[in-house]
Amino acid sequence: MENRNFYNEILTEHNMHPDFKHDIEDADIVLDGINPSCGDEIQLKLKTDGDIITDGAFVGDGCAISQASTDIMLGMIIGQSKEKALEYADIFMRMIRGEASDEEIDSLEEASALRDISHMPARVKCATLGWRTLSEALKDK
């Protein structure tokens, strides 16, 4: 039950008070992400300096899970290298599929609160929308 409360607190906080849901000017990388299953849509915007992600934000609409997950993700990757951001995305996706180790899941910090989303198949695409968009955006560059 404690894990569920943690999950609810994290989602509520990031949904009600997102740190990264706003527009940024002059983004180097911009990619739209869509979840056709439920209509979630985001536009991920990243600023980079060489290999480092120096700023990031998203705009769009969607359910609490997609919005909170994307906000948490941005908090983790800003200040990191593109390679590290892709590593986090890989761990997150493997966590959702039940393939990540406990140590890897712990490295995701707040994002680890979404580990049990795999038990809610209709919500998996919501939770992974931002992470999938990030992977596509960085692999394209």
Side-chain angles (χ1 to χ4, degrees):
M1 190 57 127
E2 184 177 317
N3 193 32
R4 183 172 267 319
N5 286 338
F6 179 64
Y7 165 84
N8 288 334
E9 287 175 27
I10 295 292
L11 283 183
T12 299
E13 180 61 29
H14 282 278
N15 203 35
M16 298 295 289
H17 306 287
D19 293 319
F20 302 101
K21 188 173 183 178
H22 57 84
D23 202 3
I24 58 173
E25 299 292 322
D26 304 326
D28 303 296
I29 301 171
V30 178
L31 188 65
D32 294 331
I34 299 169
N35 177 1
S37 304
C38 65
D40 294 341
E41 295 182 358
I42 63 164
Q43 185 175 64
L44 182 65
K45 297 183 173 197
L46 303 173
K47 283 187 180 181
T48 59
D49 183 4
D51 188 46
I52 303 298
I53 299 167
T54 58
D55 198 5
F58 73 103
V59 294
D61 294 304
C63 70
I65 293 171
S66 72
Q67 303 296 286
S69 182
T70 302
D71 195 60
I72 292 167
M73 176 197 75
L74 282 161
M76 291 179 65
I77 66 164
I78 293 171
Q80 301 292 333
S81 68
K82 293 175 188 174
E83 181 180 338
K84 185 67 172 177
L86 285 169
E87 181 183 321
Y88 281 140
D90 177 63
I91 293 169
F92 186 86
M93 299 303 271
R94 288 189 295 109
M95 175 185 75
I96 297 299
R97 292 191 305 265
E99 300 169 359
S101 70
D102 286 340
E103 182 178 288
E104 289 173 317
I105 292 169
D106 288 345
S107 77
L108 294 175
E109 299 172 3
E110 283 187 326
S112 68
L114 295 163
R115 79 184 306 167
D116 292 330
I117 208 85
S118 61
H119 303 301
M120 298 178 265
R123 296 312 208 169
V124 167
K125 288 183 180 177
C126 303
T128 60
L129 176 61
W131 299 89
R132 205 171 13 87
T133 305
L134 172 69
S135 292
E136 290 171 20
L138 294 181
K139 288 178 182 174
D140 286 347
K141 291 288 175 190

